[in-house]
């Protein structure tokens, strides 16, 4: 922003123009701190049990990604960006989660998903299994299964849903319902013969058979239909055809097993579904993963915000409550070294968080936002206030070349030309597919091992505090809504009575009728 231009202050999600010199006065900072202190002094834990839980996971959304996404979102709105506040950052309670798995210092999404959804730390690349299971060894599956909080919520009569911008069989959503010695066993065609012979089932098969999931929205069509089945969106492209070797049409099987179920494969179909007309909705919008938001066809594919809203409107009809898992694949943008794609995904996740807050109440809905792991992504270079988050550092490097503020520790952005590092330009660095430079050459950028943030609001949100092991997240959520192994804890019986009391019953109407009759008799 130019000198003398007013800054944009964000307060309660609203943009307020400030005089250009307002921040230079101590009063500006003192008053802002006083407001925050007053808010902190009035903060009280919401100690009753939660009826609903929404868990948002930014796949790969480390703290540096959150900070950069905050700036990017603010700049998209016309501000300097640094002073912006994400919707998730308004949540009053937070913790840090340690993300290592049993076998890895730097984790993957399968082991971490098992931790925050199933409540136990596990080995990398395994889903819904304890640490006794061995990656790729089918026989170690049996007897080592662990159930997710989504599965336990469904057993308690709550409605449950999954929303993801990946394939619905991917590692993070897969941990909600599958028990697999390999996160890559998407369909039977992806499994070794030995695993099939030993009785293991692919993840797509388990999606349909393991848990009665009310709402399933994401990608992953090809793993659900028989080999050579033409894709409805890309019928002329054989690479998008179904892949199943067992001949099963899992979509048809799912539909036939659910009364009031609907299947859709594009935005038009999803929008046409009346929220009160279905008990189950499956929407698979791409053969594999859904497209990045910056590449999305807005007329054919729904956004994560639209999918989240549709899921909540269907799930919240259950008087016993619901559990919803929402994931945005920030991770793939980072792996490809394309920071703009990754940060736009983080912005979209935050918009979904904001929309969910508008559709629910913090009095009965616990909302948790976290990440499974971080990435070797950073931004620095002494950039000036208001500089584009994708911009250049103000001074050149030791090699006399310009460099971007955003850099990766490793990945495909590593480049040497004519014996040196190529200099980026501001124009190229702003492109959505620009790959920021990396220190170490790798085909795919890697995860990092630092802690991730957990933000929470609503009933029992105060349970999220301090530095915790990642599997604690599942336990805190289970306790908050009286799921096993905490169903017999104090307060749970009353919570169940309150839930049952919201069911449609003739008793309140009969009581009201009796009062009316009595009043009429007395009045007569």
């Amino acid at each position: 922003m130019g000198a003398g231009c007013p800054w944009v202050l964000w307060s309660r999600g609203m943009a307020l123009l400030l005089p250009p010199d307002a921040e230079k006065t101590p009063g500006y900072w003192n008053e802002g701190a006083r407001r925050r202190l007053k808010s902190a002094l009035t903060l009280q834990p919401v100690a009753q049990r939660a009826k609903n839980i929404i868990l948002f996971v930014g796949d790969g959304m480390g703290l540096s990604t959150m900070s950069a996404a905050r700036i990017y979102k603010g700049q998209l709105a016309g501000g300097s960006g640094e002073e912006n506040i994400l919707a998730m950052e308004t949540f009053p309670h937070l913790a840090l989660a340690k993300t290592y798995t049993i076998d890895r210092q730097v984790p993957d999404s399968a082991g971490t998903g098992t931790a925050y959804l199933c409540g136990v730390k596990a080995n990398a690349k395994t889903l819904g299994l304890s640490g006794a299971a061995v990656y790729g060894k089918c026989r170690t599956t049996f007897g080592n299964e662990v159930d997710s909080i989504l599965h336990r919520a469904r057993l308690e009569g709550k409605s449950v849903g999954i929303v993801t911008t990946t394939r619905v069989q991917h590692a993070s959503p897969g941990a909600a319902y599958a028990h697999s010695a390999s996160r890559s066993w998407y369909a039977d065609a992806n499994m070794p013969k030995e695993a099939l012979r030993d009785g293991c089932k692919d993840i797509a098969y388990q999606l349909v058979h393991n848990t009665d999931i009310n709402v399933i929205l994401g990608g992953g069509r090809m793993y659900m239909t028989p080999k050579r089945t033409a894709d409805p969106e890309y019928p002329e492209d054989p690479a998008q055809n179904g892949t199943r070797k067992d001949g099963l049409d899992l979509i048809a099987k799912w539909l036939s097993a659910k009364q009031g179920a609907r299947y859709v494969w594009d935005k038009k179909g999803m929008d046409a579904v009346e929220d009160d007309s279905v008990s189950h909705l499956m929407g698979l919008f791409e053969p594999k993963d859904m497209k990045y938001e910056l590449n999305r066809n807005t007329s054919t594919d729904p956004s994560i915000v639209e999918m989240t809203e549709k899921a909540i409107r269907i799930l919240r009809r259950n008087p016993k409550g619901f559990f919803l898992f929402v994931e945005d694949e920030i991770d793939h943008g980072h792996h490809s070294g394309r920071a703009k794609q990754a940060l736009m995904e983080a912005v979209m996740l935050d918009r979904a968080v904001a929309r969910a807050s508008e559709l629910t109440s913090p009095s009965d809905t616990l909302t948790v936002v976290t990440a499974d792991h971080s990435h070797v992504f950073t931004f620095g270079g002494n950039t000036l206030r208001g500089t584009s988050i994708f911009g250049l550092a103000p001074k050149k490097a030791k090699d006399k070349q310009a460099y971007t503020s955003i850099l990766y520790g490793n990945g495909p952005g590593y480049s040497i030309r004519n014996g040196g590092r190529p200099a980026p330009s501001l124009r190229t660095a702003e492109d959505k597919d620009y790959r920021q430079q990396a220190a170490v050459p790798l085909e795919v950028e890697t995860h990092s091992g630092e802690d991730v943030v957990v933000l929470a609001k609503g009933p029992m949100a105060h349970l999220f505090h301090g530095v915790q092991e990642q599997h604690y997240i599942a336990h805190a959520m289970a306790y908050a809504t009286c799921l096993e192994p905490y169903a017999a804890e104090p307060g749970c019986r009353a919570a169940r009575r309150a839930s049952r009391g919201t069911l449609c019953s003739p008793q309140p109407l009969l009581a009201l009728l009796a009062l009316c009759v009595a009043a009429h008799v007395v009045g007569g």
Side-chain angles (χ1 to χ4, degrees), residues 65 76 78 102 114 180 185 254 260 298 345 384 438 475 481 498 506 513 522:
T65 297
L76 286 172
I102 288 177
T114 301
S180 180
W185 292 349
W254 184 83
T298 57
E345 294 303 311
L384 300 177
H475 286 263
T481 193
L513 179 61
V522 172

Side-chain angles (χ1 to χ4, degrees), residues 72 294 337-341 343 387-393 402-407 423-437:
Y72 183 35
L294 292 176
R338 296 181 173 97
K340 195 164 196 174
Q341 297 283 13
L343 295 186
T387 298
S388 167
I389 189 62
F390 307 109
L392 305 178
Y403 66 99
T404 56
S405 172
I406 291 177
L407 296 167
S425 69
L426 183 59
R427 182 183 62 82
T428 58
E430 289 283 351
D431 187 84
K432 65 183 176 67
D433 289 319
Y434 174 72
R435 279 183 161 142
Q436 281 74 15
Q437 292 177 350

Side-chain angles (χ1 to χ4, degrees), residues 263-277:
Y263 168 72
V264 299
W265 57 266
D266 63 1
K267 183 179 183 297
K268 182 179 179 181
M270 189 187 81
D271 291 344
V273 174
E274 297 291 337
D275 304 331
D276 58 355
S277 67

Side-chain angles (χ1 to χ4, degrees), residues 10 25 43 61 67 111 115 159 188 195 245 254 284 363 389 426 428 463 468 479 498:
W10 288 86
T25 65
L43 180 64
M61 189 178 68
S67 300
S159 293
D188 61 336
K245 291 182 177 180
W254 184 83
L284 303 178
S363 66
I389 189 62
L426 183 59
T428 58
L463 297 179
Q468 306 289 350
Y479 184 91

Side-chain angles (χ1 to χ4, degrees), residues 289-487:
D289 299 323
M290 296 183 69
K291 291 181 171 63
Y292 293 126
E293 175 62 23
L294 292 176
N295 299 348
R296 179 173 66 91
N297 184 326
T298 57
S299 63
T300 59
D301 290 344
S303 70
I304 189 172
V305 179
E306 293 163 335
M307 291 191 292
T308 299
E309 176 167 355
K310 178 62 71 173
I312 290 173
R313 289 188 181 279
I314 292 173
L315 297 176
R316 70 183 182 183
R317 290 164 42 213
N318 188 338
K320 291 186 177 181
F322 66 84
F323 176 88
L324 175 61
F325 172 83
V326 181
E327 179 207 28
D328 199 301
E329 195 62 16
I330 300 157
D331 180 77
H332 286 182
H334 281 323
H335 278 316
S336 67
R338 296 181 173 97
K340 195 164 196 174
Q341 297 283 13
L343 295 186
M344 190 65 220
E345 294 303 311
V347 169
M348 290 303 293
L349 179 74
D350 192 62
R351 289 174 179 171
V353 170
R355 186 64 184 129
S357 295
E358 294 169 351
L359 295 166
T360 59
S361 169
S363 66
D364 65 2
T365 302
L366 170 64
T367 304
V368 180
V369 183
T370 189
D372 49 355
H373 54 73
S374 185
H375 278 264
V376 291
F377 162 91
T378 188
F379 64 101
N382 299 315
T383 47
L384 300 177
R385 179 81 178 271
T387 298
S388 167
I389 189 62
F390 307 109
L392 305 178
K395 294 183 179 180
K396 292 184 178 180
K398 192 173 181 180
D399 61 2
K400 309 300 183 185
Q401 301 279 41
Y403 66 99
T404 56
S405 172
I406 291 177
L407 296 167
Y408 285 96
N410 58 49
Y414 176 91
S415 180
I416 296 294
R417 297 176 191 168
N418 301 320
R421 180 180 62 86
S425 69
L426 183 59
R427 182 183 62 82
T428 58
E430 289 283 351
D431 187 84
K432 65 183 176 67
D433 289 319
Y434 174 72
R435 279 183 161 142
Q436 281 74 15
Q437 292 177 350
V440 176
L442 291 176
E443 286 188 13
V444 177
E445 179 266 0
T446 71
H447 301 165
S448 60
E450 70 266 24
D451 300 348
V452 296
V453 178
V454 188
L455 303 117
K457 70 171 182 177
M460 294 290 172
H462 60 284
L463 297 179
F464 295 95
H465 69 102
V467 180
Q468 306 289 350
E469 297 286 356
Q470 193 170 38
H471 74 287
Y472 172 82
I473 296 171
H475 286 263
M477 290 189 298
Y479 184 91
T481 193
C482 293
L483 299 177
E484 294 296 342
Y486 305 105

